[in-house]
Amino acid sequence: MADITAAMVKDLREKSGAGMMDCKKALGETSGDMDAAMDWLRTKGLAAAQKKSSRTAAEGLVGVATSGTIGAAVEVNSETDFVAKNDQFQSFVREVTHIALATGADAEALKAQAMASGTTVAEVLTNNIATIGENQSLRRARQLSVSQGAVVSYVHNAAAPGLGKIGVLVALESAAGDEVLQGLGKQLAMHIAAAFPKALNEADLDEAEIERERAIATEKALAEGMKPEFAAKRVEGSIAKYRKEHALVSQLFVMDGKTKIADVVAKAGKDAGAPIVLADYVRFQLGEGIEKEVGDFAAEVAAASGVPQKPKDDQPAS
């Protein structure tokens, strides 16, 4: 059996990010072969990742990056907010965001892309799960681009530059100067972060969602005793209001509460002497749509300590 030195263990630990005892065992299992030990750790890391994969990951970070006429947004989830403060996790999200910026790949395609280390995004993510100790997932990614103009980014609740809980991209098609587009784009992005539009235009709204709203409004009107013909008119009025409130271009600008976004963009173009088109946007909010598990922290602590917990008033003792 090869003599495993402290220097070898230290070297493997620095390369892999794994724990000291795991590195020592890996070297012992592979007779001191560093590459084989790395593979051994990755194999064990994969097993660890599979065990953690059933745990809900609704925290993490949203990353945004731009380069002139191109921008990208990525969401990477973890189980707890603590991981979002981890340098290893932040570096991973930042690099993946820039890969999305360069390639335009969606989340699934991104997993096969190579990182600076030479390994794929999926492989690095698996190793991160093993070394950080939490389930993590690359949930979504999107790239925006314009032929002329700018894509502007904004991060709300930033944990680090370009990383936070809400990431927004705004694509502006125009021949106007970059200073004008950056200023307008930043204001629009802040509006989008706050107002949460569901689509760019009214025609782009999800018709299934519109029908749900129509059914709710109809049931409410009939329950109030309105005649069907009058109820139908009120329902259509409610739907028209819903469309205006949830389509970005018809929303009222949060900065003044009275000007439609379409008019804000039109005025900016007129002042700049060049038309500006709000071509598209992206709004990623961390954990949006993920059903989070609600745990009983006291019960978890009691279970871990082996101390039996007293039943609550409305629950019989077992």
Side-chain angles (χ1 to χ4, degrees):
M1 181 176 177
D3 184 23
I4 309 302
T5 66
M8 292 168 66
V9 174
K10 180 176 181 292
D11 187 24
L12 182 58
R13 188 179 184 188
E14 289 176 351
K15 288 180 178 179
S16 67
M20 181 178 68
M21 295 308 295
D22 287 333
C23 290
K24 185 175 181 179
K25 185 174 182 180
L27 288 165
E29 292 287 336
T30 57
S31 301
D33 186 316
M34 191 66 67
D35 291 336
M38 282 288 291
D39 290 342
W40 189 93
L41 284 171
R42 287 177 61 190
T43 300
K44 296 302 178 182
L46 180 60
Q50 288 172 339
K51 290 177 183 177
K52 295 179 177 72
S53 63
S54 64
R55 304 204 304 236
T56 303
E59 297 293 340
L61 287 170
V62 171
V64 295
T66 61
S67 178
T69 58
I70 303 174
V74 166
E75 179 182 356
V76 183
N77 297 123
S78 62
E79 292 180 53
T80 68
D81 188 46
F82 294 109
V83 171
K85 301 168 186 176
N86 180 290
D87 289 340
Q88 180 182 343
F89 185 76
Q90 289 188 2
S91 295
F92 174 76
V93 178
R94 187 176 294 109
E95 185 173 350
V96 171
T97 304
H98 281 89
I99 293 173
L101 180 67
T103 64
D106 62 13
E108 284 306 309
L110 266 179
K111 293 175 184 177
Q113 296 292 320
M115 300 189 71
S117 62
T119 52
T120 66
V121 169
E123 290 171 328
V124 174
L125 183 61
T126 295
N127 286 337
N128 285 352
I129 294 171
T131 57
I132 294 175
E134 282 194 12
N135 184 28
Q136 297 162 48
S137 65
L138 174 53
R139 185 184 181 204
R140 52 181 171 170
R142 190 175 167 199
Q143 185 198 71
L144 289 186
S145 65
V146 291
S147 58
Q148 182 183 33
V151 176
V152 184
S153 67
Y154 169 71
V155 174
H156 187 68
N157 284 343
L163 304 173
K165 292 185 178 294
I166 300 177
V168 179
L169 298 173
V170 176
L172 299 173
E173 190 90 39
S174 179
D178 189 63
E179 185 176 349
V180 170
L181 297 179
Q182 291 295 327
L184 174 63
K186 191 69 70 178
Q187 287 191 323
L188 293 176
M190 292 173 71
H191 167 93
I192 291 165
F196 197 177
K198 295 180 182 291
L200 179 63
N201 301 294
E202 291 184 25
D204 300 326
L205 288 166
D206 184 352
E207 284 304 318
E209 198 165 316
I210 295 292
E211 287 308 311
R212 284 196 296 273
E213 291 297 321
R214 180 176 280 110
I216 292 169
T218 299
E219 185 177 345
K220 183 178 179 182
L222 295 176
E224 292 175 3
M226 294 185 71
K227 292 182 178 181
E229 60 269 27
F230 295 121
K233 290 182 180 179
R234 191 169 92 173
V235 167
E236 290 312 308
S238 297
I239 295 303
K241 181 181 179 183
Y242 178 89
R243 289 183 183 276
K244 288 180 180 178
E245 290 179 345
H246 291 89
L248 174 57
V249 295
S250 57
Q251 285 184 328
L252 297 181
F253 192 30
V254 294
M255 301 293 182
D256 64 15
K258 61 183 181 181
T259 310
K260 288 198 303 184
I261 291 297
D263 295 334
V264 171
V265 175
K267 183 178 184 303
K270 184 178 180 181
D271 292 345
I276 299 175
V277 176
L278 175 51
D280 207 349
Y281 78 95
V282 170
R283 182 188 188 276
F284 281 179
Q285 181 166 338
L286 185 65
E288 178 187 342
I290 298 177
E291 186 174 345
K292 300 183 182 181
E293 294 178 351
V294 179
D296 186 331
F297 184 68
E300 290 178 12
V301 172
S305 63
V307 178
Q309 191 179 26
K310 293 180 180 180
K312 295 179 181 179
D313 293 339
D314 59 345
Q315 293 180 340
S318 56

